[in-house]
Structure formats: structure tokens, C-alpha cells
Amino acid sequence: TTEGSKERLCTNDGCEAKDTDSIPMLNEVEVPEEIVGGDVSVDNPTPATGDDVTITVTPDTGKEVDEVIVTGKDGKEIPVTDNGDGTYTYEQPDGDVTVEVIIKDTIYTVTWIVDGTTYKTTQYKYGETITAPTDPTKAQSGCTTYTFDKWNGFTSGMTMPDNESLAFTAVFTEGESHIDENTDHICDRNCGKT
């Protein structure tokens, strides 16, 4: 019951009047029941004004958080801190708030390397099939020729894994030319001059 500005609180031990000004007003945090690409929850769905509220977002495999938006009753966005561990914190304003979470595909990079130098980079989403670039070439060195063999670690049909970027290095097989490209001399078996 209420007496003026006091609220009468009753228990099995009796009743007492308590100043209603000391009872914090609770607000509601509206969180979507489902989000595309993950799950979201809050640690306190009915915080008092001034409380810190933590939002936890768990993206599905191959997804990441794009944005977490908290909107107050006046339609204004409330500052949200990204804690860097999948949680986000904001200070509860006076009044109910709405939480919106936007999740996007993670884009992974595949680097193709030839002789220690980046030959090409390609990008994929989780689960997409990786396609090797055009076979690289390597210039003849003296009497030694080089023919592209494979990308080390790459297999045809492999798909992009989660939570990592990949790098593949070109492997060449060596051959022998009859002509030294640097001197135009004929090479013997030991790549010498004849």
C-alpha cells in the first residue's frame, strides 16, 4: 500500500513505511528473440537508470558483429562500448531501450606467394570453394629453368575454413636449358660453357 510519498511494505514480520523515492525505477531492455547469423542476450533485462548493462553477442560460424545499436525511448542512440570479447556495454538511461544487432559475413584473405613475394590475394567467405590463380612463371636462371608444379598446401576443391586466413607458396621444379640465358653460351650437363 502507499501512504503519500511512502510505500507500505509488508512481510510476515509486519509492515513498515518506506520512502518511495529510495526505490529505483526499473527500465526494460527490448532484445530481439532471434537475429540473423547469431544469438544475443543481456545480463540484466530490467536495469535501473544508471546501471551498466552488458550485451553478449555470439555470431554463427563464419560471421562477425557489424554493429550493436541501443536506442532510447526518445529515439536517440546510446553510446555502446565494444569490450573486444564479444560483449558490449552501455549505461542505462531513464526509460526503456531497444537493442539491435547487425551481423555480417566474415571475409577471409588467401595470399598466394611466389619467391617470397605476394603474387595475388583473393577473398572468400566461410565455406566457399577456394580457386587457385593462374599458374605463375619463374624466369630461367643461367642454365636452370623452372616449371610451376603446385601451390604448397593447396588442394583442388578445398573450402575456406573459419577464423583464419591462408597463404600458399608456389613450388617449381627445376630443369636444364642448353643455352645460358645470361651469356648465350651452350650449357653442358654441369651448366658450364662448351
Side-chain angles (χ1 to χ4, degrees):
T1 60
T2 303
E3 299 177 348
S5 63
K6 294 183 179 295
E7 186 174 89
R8 195 167 176 78
L9 303 177
C10 298
T11 66
N12 292 335
D13 297 326
C15 298
E16 64 175 339
K18 187 173 182 179
D19 190 346
T20 56
D21 293 338
S22 66
I23 302 175
M25 295 296 295
L26 300 182
N27 308 284
E28 290 188 4
V29 180
E30 182 180 340
V31 179
E33 293 183 4
E34 294 183 1
I35 59 173
V36 177
D39 296 305
V40 59
S41 63
V42 294
D43 66 338
N44 185 1
T46 55
T49 301
D51 283 353
D52 286 335
V53 179
T54 298
I55 304 165
T56 300
V57 183
T58 307
D60 293 341
T61 301
K63 307 286 186 180
E64 62 185 70
V65 177
D66 185 21
E67 195 171 5
V68 175
I69 304 169
V70 178
T71 305
K73 63 180 181 180
D74 56 2
K76 293 182 179 180
E77 288 189 19
I78 298 163
V80 176
T81 300
D82 182 351
N83 299 317
D85 59 357
T87 64
Y88 301 78
T89 305
Y90 74 91
E91 182 178 324
Q92 178 65 37
D94 181 21
D96 299 343
V97 302
T98 300
V99 174
E100 179 183 4
V101 177
I102 301 173
I103 290 181
K104 64 181 180 180
D105 291 316
T106 299
I107 303 299
Y108 303 100
T109 299
V110 177
T111 305
W112 308 87
I113 300 171
V114 177
D115 284 345
T117 302
T118 298
Y119 173 68
K120 189 174 184 179
T121 58
T122 51
Q123 294 184 319
Y124 299 91
K125 299 175 185 177
Y126 168 72
E128 289 185 330
T129 300
I130 300 172
T131 303
T134 303
D135 292 350
T137 59
K138 183 174 180 178
Q140 179 178 331
S141 176
C143 296
T144 304
T145 60
Y146 300 92
T147 302
F148 174 76
D149 179 28
K150 64 181 180 179
W151 294 103
N152 191 34
F154 172 76
T155 56
S156 179
M158 72 182 301
T159 59
M160 193 69 215
D162 181 37
N163 292 332
E164 63 177 306
S165 292
L166 301 176
F168 301 108
T169 301
V171 176
F172 294 87
T173 55
E174 294 185 359
E176 185 178 6
S177 172
H178 294 294
I179 302 294
D180 185 326
E181 67 157 355
N182 296 318
T183 63
D184 288 333
H185 285 96
I186 297 174
C187 299
D188 62 17
R189 294 179 57 187
N190 296 317
C191 217
K193 300 177 183 178
T194 60

